[in-house]
Amino acid sequence: MRGTMPDAKKADAVKKADDARNRADAASSHTLLEGRLGYQLESALLVRALTHRSYAYENGGLPTNERLEFLGDSVLGLVVTDTLYRTHPDLPEGQLAKLRAAVVNSRALAEVGRGLDLGAFIRLGRGEEGTGGRDKASILADTLEAVIGAVYLDQGLDVAGELVHRLFDPLIEKSSNLGAGLDWKTSLQELTATEGLGVPEYLVSETGPDHEKTFTAAARVGGVSYGTGTGRSKKEAEQQAAESAWRAIRAAADERAASAASAAEAPANVAAAPATDAGAPETDGDADTPSAPTSGPDPDPASA
């Protein structure tokens, strides 16, 4: 028993040292993240925003970032919607909704999170850590929304709005110029309806382990496959397939329209050409051209 006391004390000392080092590392990483965000947040609030449920469950049921995610989602949606409403006064509600969906979605949020290297700061459980959780689109998107929610609670709507504008205004501008690319599946359905081709359907297959699946989708219209796409999610694969199909059908429609326009111009050109007498002989210069009769009465032959 006496021999175990020093070992127990040593283990306790090592644990305390590890905890202190972890706290110092966390504080340093939080400072780095705050530098990228441009704001200093209350420490406990930032820790909560970075705590994924997998970490919380593995560490005695700590508070997760899910409530902050819920709040941040609303703040993000409000700021983006307000921006779109003010900058596009002539767009109808449906087009505004498409623009917002192009900005506020897991894929877009994940890309913004990757730009901040947000994955390096998330507190993840061992299971998620081992399956590439730091780069999963859903985890990055949820954590970014939680961070926005934390900024809102700590510093108010104006500051949170400034953060959203800095992170998302470039994406809003890019999305405004996408046209059909705002939502390829909707755009494909609209195009096939216009062309009288029917409703698109998607055949999806998947490969790979559960934590690293790859989805492949084929877009079919009227039983004909017009394009395929791949992605890390079913939705991403379908969108890529829809884009490929839209471009193929649009190109075919444009080609038909160009051919029809050329065919319509041909008769008009023939009608505009000067008419010629097919039976009249061709003339070559004035030498063979008969002289025009002189004016006045013919002279009397007897008087010559």
Side-chain angles (χ1 to χ4, degrees), residues 115-180:
L116 296 169
D117 195 21
L118 188 59
F121 305 99
I122 301 174
R123 302 210 294 176
L124 284 176
R126 289 186 297 273
E128 284 290 356
E129 187 80 62
T131 57
R134 293 192 182 278
D135 195 50
K136 283 185 179 178
S138 59
I139 292 178
L140 288 169
D142 293 346
T143 304
L144 180 60
E145 288 179 332
V147 169
I148 292 172
V151 172
Y152 167 76
L153 284 181
D154 192 58
Q155 304 200 28
L157 182 58
D158 288 344
V159 174
E162 290 174 0
L163 175 63
V164 170
H165 281 298
R166 183 157 54 83
L167 296 178
F168 287 90
D169 276 359
L171 183 58
I172 291 173
E173 182 177 356
K174 178 182 177 182
S175 298
S176 299
N177 298 320
L178 285 178

Side-chain angles (χ1 to χ4, degrees), residues 14-98:
V14 170
K15 184 178 184 303
K16 287 182 178 179
D18 287 342
D19 289 344
R21 184 165 52 252
N22 290 337
R23 286 194 297 271
D25 290 343
S28 176
S29 66
H30 291 169
T31 300
L32 179 59
L33 177 59
E34 287 171 329
R36 293 176 182 176
L37 294 172
Y39 306 102
Q40 184 174 3
L41 301 177
E42 195 272 318
S43 179
L45 195 59
L46 181 56
V47 169
R48 173 85 64 88
L50 298 172
T51 302
H52 187 258
R53 62 177 177 271
S54 61
Y55 182 92
Y57 295 159
E58 290 181 11
N59 289 272
L62 297 173
T64 74
N65 64 2
E66 292 177 351
R67 283 171 53 84
L68 286 173
E69 173 202 337
F70 170 77
L71 180 61
D73 176 68
S74 296
V75 173
L76 174 63
L78 172 63
V79 175
V80 170
T81 302
D82 178 75
T83 301
L84 294 174
Y85 183 87
R86 295 178 187 277
T87 55
H88 299 283
D90 298 326
L91 285 185
E93 180 269 342
Q95 195 70 7
L96 289 172
K98 286 184 180 181

